[in-house]
Amino acid sequence: MGASPEHGPQRPGEAFDRSSVEFGRSVSFFDAIYGFAITLLVTNIDLPPARSWSSMSALLDSGLISQIFGFLLSFVVIAVFWRVNYRITAGILLMTPPVIVWNTVAAFFIVLLPFTTQGTSDPGTSDFALPTALYAANIALASLAQAALRLSARRQGRVPGARTLIRLAQALPHATVPAVFLASIPVTFLAGPGPGRLVWASLLVLGPLTGRLEDKARPGA
C-alpha cells in the first residue's frame, strides 16, 4: 500500500497504490518521456536550402517529403505506444518495481525512435537496408517491452485475471506488432527497404482482425 501517516514513508522497492504521490509521479514521468520523444521527431526534418524554396518542384526534390513522411509515421507510432501504455497503466492498481522496470525498458526504446527514424527518412540513407531493419527492430523491442509490462502487471494481480484462452486471445494483438516488424527484417536484407516496409502494411489488416478477437475475448462481450 502507499505511504500513510500511520505507517510512515515506504522503503524503496515497495509497491505504491494509486492514491500515493509516488504512483502519480511515476505515471507523469513516463508520460513525459513519450511526449519528449514525439517532440524530438521534428528535429529530423532538415530545413531545405534557400534555393529549394524557389518552386514547389524544387522543394519536393530537396528530400523534404521523405523526412516529413518519416516524421508522420513515427509520430503515429509513438502516439500508439503512448495509448497502449496509458491503457496498461489505467489497469494497474499498484506501482511495483517490476512494473517500473519494464516501463523504463519500453521508454528506452521509445526515446530511441527519433534516432532510428532519422536513418529511414533521410534521403541519403533511406535506400540502405540497415536503417529500415534497425527501425523495425526498435519498434519490435518497444512492443515486446510493453507486452512484458502487461504480463508483469497481470502476474502480480494488478490486472484482473482471466482464463487461459481469454488471456491468449487478449495477448494476440500485442504479439502481432513485434512479429510483423521482426519478420520484415530478413525481408529488408534480402529484398530491400521497400519490400520490408510493405510487410509493415500487413498490420492494416492484421491489426483490426486481432483487435476484434481481443474484443470478443473480453468478459461480457
Side-chain angles (χ1 to χ4, degrees), residues 19-96:
S19 64
S20 66
V21 173
E22 290 81 4
F23 190 101
R25 288 178 61 189
S26 299
V27 173
S28 298
F29 172 75
F30 290 114
D31 277 349
I33 289 177
Y34 284 83
F36 182 65
I38 211 169
T39 302
L40 275 180
L41 288 173
V42 76
T43 63
N44 289 334
I45 302 177
D46 300 323
L47 185 67
R51 63 179 179 274
S52 298
W53 295 93
S54 60
S55 66
M56 182 58 70
S57 60
L59 191 61
L60 295 177
D61 291 339
S62 69
L64 182 63
I65 296 301
S66 175
Q67 293 181 328
I68 290 179
F69 178 78
F71 165 78
L72 291 175
L73 175 63
S74 291
F75 188 98
V76 172
V77 167
I78 295 178
V80 170
F81 272 119
W82 173 81
R83 184 172 179 271
V84 171
N85 182 267
Y86 169 81
R87 294 181 65 181
I88 294 174
T89 304
I92 294 175
L93 301 179
L94 294 175
M95 188 65 66
T96 62

Side-chain angles (χ1 to χ4, degrees), residues 7 36 58 65 80 120 136 149 160 178 199:
H7 298 91
F36 182 65
I65 296 301
V80 170
T120 59
L149 168 62
V199 175

Side-chain angles (χ1 to χ4, degrees), residues 118-206:
Q118 177 71 32
T120 59
S121 61
D122 190 298
T125 58
S126 60
D127 290 335
F128 296 128
L130 183 58
T132 299
L134 289 177
Y135 185 78
N138 192 170
I139 294 179
L141 291 171
S143 185
L144 288 172
Q146 283 195 334
L149 168 62
R150 182 186 295 273
L151 180 61
S152 176
R154 180 176 288 120
R155 279 182 173 177
Q156 297 179 42
R158 314 313 177 200
V159 175
R163 288 176 296 179
T164 301
L165 289 178
I166 293 178
R167 289 200 300 268
L168 289 174
Q170 291 175 337
L172 184 59
H174 311 290
T176 302
V177 173
V180 167
F181 278 93
L182 288 175
S184 74
I185 295 176
V187 174
T188 298
F189 282 117
L190 292 173
R197 293 168 189 166
L198 284 177
V199 175
W200 306 346
S202 65
L203 286 172
L204 296 175
V205 176
L206 295 176

